[in-house]
Amino acid sequence: MAVAQELFLAVALLFVSLRLHCSSPLPGCPEPCSCQRASLLNCSSSGLSLVPQHILDSVTELDLSHNLLDSVTLGQPHHNLRNVWLGNNSITHLSLCIERNPGGRYGRSINPYHLRPWSRQRCVSWAPSLQLLSVERNQLEQLPNGLEGSESLQVLQLSFNRISTLQPGDLGRLRQLIELHLQHNLITSLHPQMFQDLAQLRVLDLRFNKLTSLHPLMYLSLHNIGADVRLDGNRWQCDCSMRSLRRRMAYDSSRGLQAWSVVCASPSILSGRELLQLEEDDLSCIGAENRPELHQDVTVYSGSEILLSCSAQGNTVYTIL
């Protein structure tokens, strides 16, 4: 019996020793982060206001979520870094460019939007091999600076921020992008060519922004790509400017293609109704004097001449184009 007890005690001590050894942090792990495996640097919920600068080359995943960060910059490229999580901080601007500040120290960030134009053009990314970037639930007002330096990016999560504008060239070089999450921002309009170069895009989430209309060219480019587009919760204004979009959607729906969900927010008489379920006569434009505006959709073929009537102060002028 005594031998059995001694054997049991020895095994228990060995198990505890191995467990302590396995749970001990790896050498070079910055405090107060956790490095249970060489590929993951877990700094989540660590009360950080500055980003650790001594990140090992073996790190492929960096989790800085749920901290007190208002900006993120790193002083050197990390070529093995694939996934970065920055959600639930207070980040107002984000730069993927290496900080070049001779008079400063690592960890002190520079607002990239205050730099001169030539400085932005010389951006060298601190995550050139990045595949996933999550900056959800922050205070971003613009897309991260230096995205063009991470051409392998596949998933970009920017939901629950304050982004209001997007420029056509901001995403043009992200040819591998598969998912783009922009729901719950303040986006009011989209350039027709904003996403046309994103041939791999499969998910585009624009729910709960402030969009009021959508250009038919935007619809065509995204349909040709085959992206799953989510548009619920916007402020769609269902007037005469949406006629062309409705026609395109109705044509695709008749061919069995999946229709987008565009629910009217205005005018009040159409609020809550699906654009695709409306008749073309429902989409009217009302002028300042509560009279229908002169609006007519015209199909013009290449090389043809058209006669337009332009009314100004009661006088009608006809112009040949």
Side-chain angles (χ1 to χ4, degrees), residues 310-316:
C310 304
S311 178
Q313 297 180 351
N315 298 321
T316 302

Side-chain angles (χ1 to χ4, degrees), residues 253-310:
S253 178
S254 68
R255 297 168 58 201
L257 300 179
Q258 183 177 3
W260 295 0
S261 176
V262 177
V263 179
C264 303
S266 64
S268 58
I269 193 173
L270 299 178
S271 179
R273 297 180 63 182
E274 286 266 1
L275 175 64
L276 194 57
Q277 305 304 319
L278 298 177
E279 298 296 332
E280 188 160 314
D281 291 342
D282 294 328
L283 301 173
S284 60
C285 287
I286 304 300
E289 299 178 4
N290 204 32
R291 294 179 301 176
E293 296 180 358
L294 296 177
H295 180 279
Q296 184 176 3
D297 292 324
V298 179
T299 301
V300 181
Y301 297 94
S302 177
S304 62
E305 293 184 349
I306 60 173
L307 193 65
L308 298 180
S309 63
C310 304

Side-chain angles (χ1 to χ4, degrees), residues 75-95:
Q76 65 184 47
H78 297 274
H79 295 283
N80 293 321
L81 200 55
R82 299 290 189 273
N83 302 327
V84 175
W85 292 275
L86 301 171
N88 290 274
N89 279 282
S90 301
I91 300 172
T92 56
H93 65 270
L94 175 62
S95 175

Side-chain angles (χ1 to χ4, degrees), residues 228-276:
D228 174 15
V229 182
R230 303 164 187 175
L231 299 171
D232 297 343
N234 279 279
R235 301 178 180 179
W236 302 113
Q237 184 175 339
C238 294
D239 58 16
C240 55
S241 66
M242 299 284 270
R243 287 178 181 172
S244 295
L245 176 63
R246 181 202 165 277
R247 288 177 193 160
R248 185 72 248 188
M249 291 174 60
Y251 173 73
D252 287 340
S253 178
S254 68
R255 297 168 58 201
L257 300 179
Q258 183 177 3
W260 295 0
S261 176
V262 177
V263 179
C264 303
S266 64
S268 58
I269 193 173
L270 299 178
S271 179
R273 297 180 63 182
E274 286 266 1
L275 175 64
L276 194 57

